[in-house]
Amino acid sequence: METETKNSTKQAAVTANIFLKKNRHLMSDEEAHALRILIAAASQDPDQQPQLWHCDTYCRNVRHVSCDGEFGVDSDAQDVCPFLDEMLY
């Protein structure tokens, strides 16, 4: 995977589809269906490189409060989660 396509939604869809094919037997019908929906959405929409961020702080999310930033978390991302300040208090 090239650097410029690392966070590409199209590349993620291809990788997720391979994962689904290899691991379908380990998933519930609901999990497989959800993954298929995400794969279809990523592959049918214009290719994007969504912003990703890291979060390694003990915030309210750890205390079972939903964090708006949880879907963008990637441990390899350079930027800090933009929701960090509001989740600390």
Side-chain angles (χ1 to χ4, degrees):
M1 201 177 326
E2 295 178 22
T3 305
E4 52 270 4
T5 62
K6 181 179 178 190
N7 295 332
S8 162
T9 55
K10 297 281 187 197
Q11 184 60 45
V14 169
T15 302
N17 196 43
I18 292 167
F19 175 84
L20 178 61
K21 288 177 181 178
K22 289 181 180 178
N23 297 287
R24 172 59 188 102
H25 64 284
L26 300 173
M27 298 178 197
S28 70
D29 289 343
E30 181 181 21
E31 291 167 335
H33 179 73
L35 191 51
R36 277 192 212 98
I37 289 173
L38 292 173
I39 291 168
S43 65
Q44 293 172 19
D45 285 341
D47 199 23
Q48 298 180 24
Q49 289 194 356
Q51 181 184 4
L52 299 174
W53 43 77
H54 69 270
C55 180
D56 55 3
T57 304
Y58 185 84
C59 66
R60 290 191 320 186
N61 189 36
V62 176
R63 296 182 211 137
H64 308 290
V65 173
S66 179
C67 175
D68 291 332
E70 72 178 307
F71 295 118
V73 173
D74 184 338
S75 60
D76 294 333
Q78 294 180 4
D79 297 329
V80 176
C81 177
F83 301 94
L84 179 63
D85 287 342
E86 66 188 63
M87 292 307 293
L88 288 176
Y89 305 103

